[in-house]
Amino acid sequence: MINISGKTKIVGVIGEPVTHSRSPQMHNAAIAKLGLNFAYLPFEVKLPDLTTAIQGLKALQVVGVNVTIPHKQNVIPLLDHISTEAHLIGAVNTLVFDQDQIFGHNTDAEGFIRAMQEEAHLFDLLTGDVRAVVLGAGGAARAVVTALALNKVTEITIANRTVSKAVALVEDLEPKLLHTDLQLSTCLTSVEIQSSQLSDLIATCDLLVNTTSVGMGNTAQVDLFNLGCLSAQTIVYDIVYTPPVTPLLRAAEAKGCPIIGGLGMLVHQGAIAFEKWTGIEPNIEIMREALVKSLGLSAKQEKNK
Ligand code: ATR
């Protein structure tokens, strides 16, 4: 249990709703493990109150907050600085209040990469000319595509049910990538999720990432992704984390593919925010344990990833 004192520093999460958020459990476990005088609190903030809430958090000298739905985009005009990742993704998930300035970050892209680096042997496979297929074209896809582009993946195809959204994502992100200081030259293309072209791409890609909600809560629909053509060399990464092993990952595993589940990304995006607020690297395993417990997953289910 955290001991609150006159010196306790506050961090937290703003969103609506926030009651479902697992971040308080995850962050407070890391705070307790380190014995820091911090507390992480949920703040339900309605959309019309966003500006007032941000001003209030700043006035109260809150150290920083996570930002969740529906504020990830709307908060941007209220910031003094925005990181390259957050600019590319077009959304902010972490604020830092520092010396009268508000800094906006997005830790999802780096969280996606760090979770992959945990499986070092898999991450090492992604060197040289890498071809990735990303399923989905929503906010999560944007973070994943940005992460891959920042890590110099050469070709990324975005496959979406509503193909116009994949086209729009490519049209928006490609020029932004070229205009960062990094001058990234990833080739981005878009395709309809059920097309035969996608089957050919899946058959030859090095990395397949699911960012759609398909598979969440065990909904099947694996056939949606034409997995028949998947080769055992392809790394399959599903950012859905409930269940830890989704039907897509199970099907990929049966084909002999290396697989990565979504829990790692969730833990790492939180850990990166934690570091920004406290300047200290948290214990990843403590955060993961707290998350697994709060999600009601058994250790066996989690291990079985
Ligand atoms: P997030 O911010 O988590 O990415 P989102 O912006 O709502 O959430 O995006 C959800 C993604 O999952 C979209 O790419 C969506 O496809 P559409 O753009 O066609 O809606 C995809 N998705 C959700 N349910 C799906 C389903 N049953 N089949 C295929 N794609 C689905």
Side-chain angles (χ1 to χ4, degrees):
M1 183 68 196
I2 293 166
N3 289 317
I4 306 288
S5 73
K7 292 183 181 163
T8 304
K9 295 189 168 129
I10 301 297
V11 286
V13 53
I14 59 166
E16 189 196 14
V18 281
T19 45
H20 68 286
S21 174
R22 314 294 173 180
S23 296
Q25 288 97 320
M26 201 166 67
H27 284 275
N28 285 320
I31 288 168
K33 178 73 182 171
L34 284 163
L36 298 179
N37 199 352
F38 274 71
Y40 186 107
L41 302 173
F43 297 108
E44 178 130 341
V45 174
K46 298 198 185 311
L47 198 49
D49 297 330
L50 182 62
T51 306
T52 320
I54 296 294
Q55 285 166 353
L57 292 167
K58 186 175 162 183
L60 292 168
Q61 298 185 30
V62 163
V63 174
V65 284
N66 284 133
V67 181
T68 188
I69 290 166
H71 304 313
K72 287 183 173 196
Q73 280 106 28
N74 297 315
V75 80
I76 292 175
L78 309 175
L79 309 177
D80 300 299
H81 305 276
I82 180 165
S83 70
T84 303
E85 281 96 334
H87 166 68
L88 292 172
I89 296 168
V92 160
N93 77 344
T94 303
L95 300 184
V96 178
F97 298 92
D98 190 16
Q99 300 186 4
D100 212 36
Q101 304 275 295
I102 311 176
F103 295 79
H105 301 273
N106 193 312
T107 63
D108 283 337
E110 183 58 19
F112 172 84
I113 295 295
R114 285 200 197 175
M116 212 169 170
Q117 282 167 334
E118 271 189 355
E119 315 277 339
H121 61 292
L122 298 186
F123 194 69
D124 290 346
L125 291 177
L126 296 181
T127 49
D129 279 352
V130 174
R131 284 191 282 180
V133 172
V134 175
L135 305 168
R142 254 191 110 99
V144 167
V145 173
T146 298
L148 295 174
L150 288 171
N151 278 273
K152 310 258 163 55
V153 165
T154 29
E155 284 176 43
I156 307 173
T157 301
I158 300 159
N160 202 41
R161 177 178 60 180
T162 315
V163 74
S164 59
K165 284 196 206 164
V167 172
L169 202 165
V170 171
E171 283 177 355
D172 182 61
L173 200 53
E174 211 162 35
K176 278 187 173 176
L177 288 172
L178 278 171
H179 290 108
T180 60
D181 295 345
L182 304 161
Q183 296 184 323
L184 300 165
S185 59
T186 300
C187 172
L188 297 182
T189 50
S190 51
V191 69
E192 205 268 306
I193 216 158
Q194 291 282 17
S195 70
S196 58
Q197 198 192 342
L198 179 62
S199 307
D200 296 342
L201 287 162
I202 287 181
T204 54
C205 71
D206 304 289
L207 174 68
L208 175 67
V209 187
N210 175 47
T211 73
T212 75
S213 47
V214 173
M216 204 179 278
N218 259 324
T219 51
Q221 279 195 289
V222 180
D223 56 334
L224 185 75
F225 305 135
N226 309 313
L227 286 184
C229 51
L230 194 60
S231 103
Q233 274 73 49
T234 300
I235 299 168
V236 180
Y237 191 155
D238 196 338
I239 71 162
V240 169
Y241 54 88
T242 48
V245 184
T246 59
L248 169 65
L249 291 183
R250 259 191 222 298
E253 201 172 28
K255 287 198 153 247
C257 302
I259 59 165
I260 307 176
L263 272 173
M265 177 177 174
L266 187 60
V267 172
H268 281 284
Q269 63 75 32
I272 299 163
F274 188 100
E275 275 172 48
K276 291 190 186 299
W277 298 325
T278 64
I280 300 172
E281 214 176 291
N283 182 314
I284 297 293
E285 288 317 311
I286 291 289
M287 291 180 90
R288 197 191 316 266
E289 261 173 42
L291 184 64
V292 164
K293 198 170 155 203
S294 75
L295 288 168
L297 302 171
S298 66
K300 185 167 167 273
Q301 265 180 307
E302 201 275 321
K303 261 214 169 97
N304 210 4
K305 59 184 178 171

